[in-house]
Amino acid sequence: MAVASGKSFISRFGVHLAVLFFVVLWTIPTLGILVSSLRDKDQIIASGWWNSFSSSSQTEAGRLPDASAQAEKDGKFVIEGNLFEEGGPARQISAFGLRAAAPTQYEAGAVADLKDGVTLQINKDGSFVMASPKAFEGERGQRVYFAASAPPKFTTDNYRTVLFSEGIGRSFLNSLTVTIPATVIPILIAAFAAYALAWMRFPGRALLIAVIIGLLVVPLQMSLIPLLKLYNGVGVFFGVPVKTYLGIWLAHTGFGLPFAIYLLRSYIAGLPREIMESARIDGASDFEIFVKIVLPLSFPVLASFAIFQFLWVWNDLLVAMVFLGTEADQIVLTAKLNALLGSRGGDWEILTTSAFVTIIVPLIVFFSLQRYFVRGLLAGSVKGG
Amino acid sequence: MADLTLRQVKKSYGNLTILHGIDLDIESGEFIVFVGPSGCGKSTLLRTIAGLEEITSGTLQIAGEVVNDVPPSKRGIAMVFQSYALYPHMTVYDNMAFSMKIGKENKAEIDKRVKQAAEILQLTKYLDRLPRAMSGGQRQRVAIGRAIVRNPKVFLFDEPLSNLDAALRVATRIEIAKLKESMPDTTMIYVTHDQVEAMTLADRIVVLKDGHIEQVGTPMDLYKKPGNLFVAQFIGSPAMNILPATVEKAGASTVITHVGGNKVTVPIATPASAKGATVSFGVRPEDLFIATGKDYLFEGTVDYVEQLGEVQLVYIDIGRADQPLTTKLPGNAEVKRGSVLKLAANAEDLHIFGADGRSFLHQEAAAKAA
């Protein structure tokens, strides 16, 4: 960077430090969602995602074997065994208890006194010894509670659940169905309009530009309902249903166009006049100049507008709520996420996974096109370019 | 092969008139240079010839055909722009082939002509490069190549050298001169504000000022016989010295008294009515020399000396406040600041201009012609 190189080491260092700080600050929540979405749902409840790589402590309930497992030993009746399955992950018990109200009443290794001289000892490794002077009776074993460490557990089950049983997969496709045409259509229209407004002379051009700039400040909320009524009126005339993908494509195109034309026009108007004139002398018509010269040179601005429009449409909830239904074949990701928040509000594994599915596409779009923000294609055409 | 005829060509933007009725005849195969100060309309004139600007009134003929409403591509012209105006996303080959591809010519013909032009301009090695990978001089050659490929009747150059550095400018100037030699039938029109380019390249120079043609003529014509004060001062560097003077005796040769107080006989005819009139007396710095005899034009003290090696510019105070006389003396002449110099000039190197700024030389010629 030419600007930064002129400054001292300290100020450059400061800039880098600040950039690093903001990058970390903005990346952490995303990372948190990603990590949470991959965790086991019981562990999500037990500890925060930042603890997910170390063992967590979980309180669990278990039942000891029933009377049939007892053996007589030195005049006492004893039931022995291990709370954990053999060959399972190594776990440790820190405390245990006998009532749900006090699940960690006794330290591991301590001997708990049950009524009638019955004792129970549970060790760290999960082995237990229950002894009684009288024979055990009954079909049900003793209920025990214990706090045990659990090793980190990561799973892609959440994604499977969310994509295939919660309907996020279908919504993902719906969102793509809305977003891709709603990005491409305005670019097509705006590029033509921007060229005409920048380089073709016709009466009323300045007024048209002024009107378009004016449209930039019209609030979306104000025009939403009139637009819907208009669309419905026209739809009735042509016999088209009220809520269709075509409707939302047109709505997003309409809302996106003023900004698109404004952005593209200022870029295209900044292209060197001589290049157009040279092409005109070479015999190119306006259409040929547009297709062969202006479009290739405008690629960076087309890409940056595509990013804006794609993200805006992808993240849009309001327009989708108005112009699309909430049935499975029309509900978009944002609306689906909103619905899940109501119906599955406590299930963090579902919400974080759905959220991550929602942000994957914007992340891919941004990272694959971001170089066009900074790259200048004009180098070499004119002096100093 | 085409001659151009401009008749009363006017160009205005609303109330602002840029060109006030230009009349000009350009013969086939001529190298014409438009020269003038910034804002004189020289580029606008070129652009109207190219068809990039519409003509407000008047007619423009190329090869006998009125082309006022003919689009640029159909006028048989090619233009080289100051900023090169290369298509940055195309290779050198595609840049040069663009016009023919638009014209839907067959591929073999395109290939042949592009290679030929590249050969002339020594660009064969660079055909696959993008403009951004080339130096300024190479880019300018591509721009010229793009014009050659179109095989135009008229070449238009809009200040093609002003973006190049000094050394490259000289080299490219010579290249353009050679290019012209190799295409003797092609008419070339060249716009510049650099009088060196104008003097070296032109068959004829057109001097423009404020949308009017001041004078048209060969470079030496303009230098030796400037038609008016503006041309006299615009052509030549440093500019001609102009001093107020009074006509003492009119006739076949004129006697004047100038500010310095001396009487001089100038071999330029003036009408009898000019006697006693105030005129402007002009002499070029390079035409002055140190007087050895009794006759001299000016006497004054040396105010300042600029030594350029080969020559030195000597500014002499001849009693006019803030307007020293400029002279160009040989570099080895011994001139000291503060010393008194006597200067003379040959009679045929003197100029006189009437109160309206026009040279009497041309007024006489005009009178004869009428």
Side-chain angles (χ1 to χ4, degrees):
Chain A
M1 297 288 282
V3 179
S5 64
K7 293 182 178 169
S8 69
F9 171 78
I10 293 176
S11 76
R12 253 182 301 152
F13 186 73
V15 167
H16 289 168
L17 211 64
V19 168
L20 190 71
F21 174 74
F22 284 113
V23 166
V24 169
L25 199 69
W26 285 332
T27 316
I28 281 178
T30 312
L31 189 69
I33 289 179
L34 175 63
V35 171
S36 295
S37 71
L38 289 169
R39 293 181 75 197
D40 185 68
K41 67 176 179 183
D42 297 328
Q43 293 195 352
I44 291 179
I45 297 165
S47 67
W49 64 270
W50 51 91
N51 287 328
S52 62
F53 296 100
S54 58
S55 298
S56 60
S57 180
Q58 250 165 262
T59 307
E60 287 174 32
R63 195 175 283 281
L64 301 181
D66 62 24
S68 62
Q70 65 183 300
E72 199 175 346
K73 216 177 183 184
D74 303 338
K76 280 185 173 178
F77 295 90
V78 176
I79 299 179
E80 277 181 310
N82 197 309
L83 283 171
F84 301 132
E85 289 166 32
E86 232 167 283
R91 303 181 66 181
Q92 279 201 331
I93 287 177
S94 56
F96 67 97
L98 298 166
R99 290 175 296 133
T104 54
Q105 195 179 355
Y106 305 100
E107 290 280 310
V111 178
D113 235 335
L114 282 74
K115 288 179 289 184
D116 308 328
V118 179
T119 59
L120 172 64
Q121 183 186 21
I122 298 182
N123 297 312
K124 277 191 174 176
D125 60 358
S127 61
F128 61 87
V129 180
M130 186 157 69
S132 168
K134 284 192 278 181
F136 292 102
E137 284 171 11
E139 303 250 304
R140 290 160 67 97
Q142 173 67 39
R143 188 93 172 129
V144 290
Y145 300 89
F146 56 91
S149 71
K153 192 172 165 193
F154 292 104
T155 169
T156 54
D157 283 351
N158 298 334
Y159 283 92
R160 211 165 296 129
T161 313
V162 152
L163 287 178
F164 302 110
S165 11
E166 291 292 337
I168 288 287
R170 180 61 214 247
S171 293
F172 188 87
L173 294 181
N174 292 346
S175 270
L176 281 180
T177 312
V178 170
T179 311
I180 291 172
T183 306
V184 174
I185 298 170
I187 287 182
L188 282 183
I189 300 175
F192 278 99
Y195 174 75
L197 290 173
W199 291 106
M200 289 167 74
R201 284 183 202 154
F202 54 88
R205 187 176 78 163
L207 187 72
L208 203 56
I209 295 172
V211 168
I212 289 168
I213 303 289
L215 286 177
L216 273 176
V217 298
V218 173
L220 189 149
Q221 290 83 343
M222 195 186 85
S223 48
L224 209 51
I225 298 309
L227 203 64
L228 183 68
K229 289 187 89 167
L230 178 72
Y231 176 73
N232 287 347
V234 174
V236 167
F237 184 78
F238 286 106
V240 178
V242 172
K243 299 200 164 182
T244 59
Y245 281 112
L246 182 66
I248 196 166
W249 294 340
L250 289 177
H252 276 305
T253 300
F255 289 124
L257 266 184
F259 178 63
I261 294 175
Y262 171 73
L263 187 76
L264 267 55
R265 195 199 81 90
S266 37
Y267 185 90
I268 289 173
L271 292 173
R273 167 184 290 273
E274 279 96 344
I275 292 182
M276 319 281 173
E277 289 178 339
S278 187
R280 185 154 292 135
I281 288 178
D282 277 348
S285 63
D286 271 316
F287 184 73
E288 281 166 324
I289 292 176
F290 175 72
V291 172
K292 294 189 170 156
I293 310 282
V294 172
L295 270 193
L297 291 182
S298 305
F299 198 71
V301 76
L302 296 181
S304 61
F305 174 73
I307 296 174
F308 279 130
Q309 177 75 358
F310 191 98
L311 296 185
W312 146 247
V313 174
W314 185 267
N315 291 329
D316 164 75
L317 176 64
L318 184 59
V319 178
M321 293 286 242
V322 174
F323 282 88
L324 275 187
T326 49
E327 299 304 312
D329 64 336
Q330 282 195 332
I331 191 164
V332 294
L333 266 179
T334 45
K336 184 72 194 175
L337 207 57
N338 186 39
L340 279 180
L341 209 58
S343 62
R344 305 291 298 266
D347 297 340
W348 281 52
E349 79 282 1
I350 300 289
L351 295 179
T352 53
T353 311
S354 306
F356 199 76
V357 169
T358 310
I359 64 176
I360 280 174
V361 170
L363 285 180
I364 292 172
V365 168
F366 180 76
F367 283 116
S368 59
L369 291 180
Q370 57 95 14
R371 70 198 169 110
Y372 293 108
F373 275 130
V374 283
R375 183 163 126 197
L377 260 181
L378 274 183
S381 69
V382 290
K383 197 193 179 205
Chain B
M1 279 191 286
D3 49 325
L4 268 81
T5 313
L6 284 81
R7 285 288 170 267
Q8 281 301 309
V9 171
K10 285 187 185 160
K11 173 71 195 171
S12 36
Y13 298 98
N15 291 330
L16 182 69
T17 305
I18 307 291
L19 299 173
H20 304 265
I22 301 287
D23 283 305
L24 186 63
D25 292 286
I26 298 174
E27 281 171 32
S28 178
E30 260 192 310
F31 198 125
I32 294 287
V33 174
F34 293 165
V35 73
S38 299
C40 69
K42 55 189 190 296
S43 281
T44 308
L45 183 57
L46 192 77
R47 291 166 59 83
T48 55
I49 293 173
L52 294 172
E53 303 281 352
E54 274 178 39
I55 297 171
T56 310
S57 70
T59 58
L60 167 66
Q61 291 181 21
I62 298 179
E65 188 195 342
V66 176
V67 293
N68 283 22
D69 299 320
V70 176
S73 56
K74 301 267 161 54
R75 292 187 181 195
I77 50 127
M79 187 153 168
V80 176
F81 290 86
Q82 177 178 0
S83 61
Y84 324 132
L86 300 180
Y87 311 127
H89 56 298
M90 297 184 193
T91 62
V92 169
Y93 184 96
D94 289 336
N95 260 286
M96 298 214 277
F98 185 76
S99 62
M100 294 207 288
K101 280 183 182 164
I102 292 283
K104 303 224 177 353
E105 301 205 25
N106 74 54
K107 280 208 169 128
E109 176 69 14
I110 294 176
D111 197 55
K112 193 183 113 199
R113 269 162 56 189
V114 169
K115 296 242 162 91
Q116 210 173 356
E119 194 70 33
I120 294 172
L121 295 163
Q122 296 150 24
L123 287 168
T124 312
K125 273 192 291 183
Y126 307 114
L127 283 175
D128 293 331
R129 285 216 197 160
L130 285 176
R132 66 164 164 270
M134 305 183 84
S135 70
Q138 289 168 335
R139 287 181 204 175
Q140 189 55 276
R141 288 219 295 277
V142 176
I144 293 172
R146 200 167 59 176
I148 292 177
V149 166
R150 302 196 66 224
N151 203 5
K153 292 182 280 189
V154 183
F155 252 94
L156 306 175
F157 293 94
D158 189 2
E159 309 210 17
L161 305 185
S162 40
N163 278 349
L164 303 178
D165 62 45
L168 206 52
R169 202 180 284 196
V170 173
T172 313
R173 198 171 73 207
I174 293 169
E175 266 180 44
I176 290 176
K178 284 184 180 160
L179 183 71
K180 175 70 189 91
E181 253 173 36
S182 69
M183 298 190 288
D185 292 336
T186 308
T187 310
M188 292 194 179
I189 303 177
Y190 188 106
V191 164
T192 182
H193 58 260
D194 180 349
Q195 52 165 302
V196 178
E197 283 171 30
M199 295 295 282
T200 53
L201 289 171
D203 290 328
R204 283 197 297 157
I205 295 177
V206 177
V207 182
L208 288 153
K209 183 195 168 199
D210 297 338
H212 295 279
I213 291 184
E214 292 288 322
Q215 194 175 1
V216 183
T218 64
M220 282 319 278
D221 253 359
L222 297 194
Y223 180 76
K224 289 284 183 194
K225 298 172 186 170
N228 54 46
L229 274 174
F230 175 78
V231 176
Q233 292 197 289
F234 190 77
I235 303 285
S237 170
M240 183 187 281
N241 295 297
I242 303 289
L243 304 111
T246 319
V247 178
E248 296 286 329
K249 182 170 155 282
S253 59
T254 310
V255 179
I256 57 163
T257 313
H258 63 77
V259 168
N262 293 10
K263 271 189 192 169
V264 193
T265 306
V266 183
I268 294 175
T270 43
S273 60
K275 189 170 188 295
T278 307
V279 294
S280 297
F281 168 61
V283 57
R284 293 196 180 276
E286 54 270 36
D287 290 336
L288 289 166
F289 50 85
I290 296 172
T292 46
K294 276 204 284 180
D295 289 335
Y296 62 91
L297 266 177
F298 304 105
E299 183 176 11
T301 52
V302 175
D303 191 36
Y304 194 72
V305 180
E306 286 179 325
Q307 178 60 265
L308 305 178
E310 175 199 4
V311 292
Q312 51 191 333
L313 301 180
V314 182
Y315 299 92
I316 295 168
D317 180 8
I318 52 165
R320 295 171 69 210
D322 297 334
Q323 279 185 294
L325 188 79
T326 314
T327 65
K328 201 188 252 181
L329 298 175
N332 54 10
E334 283 212 12
V335 179
K336 277 202 190 107
R337 210 167 160 179
S339 64
V340 177
L341 276 188
K342 285 178 182 170
L343 296 162
N346 293 324
E348 62 267 26
D349 293 332
L350 305 177
H351 310 266
I352 46 175
F353 304 92
D356 56 356
R358 292 173 64 197
S359 167
F360 281 103
L361 201 62
H362 290 263
Q363 284 181 15
E364 194 62 23
K368 266 182 201 160

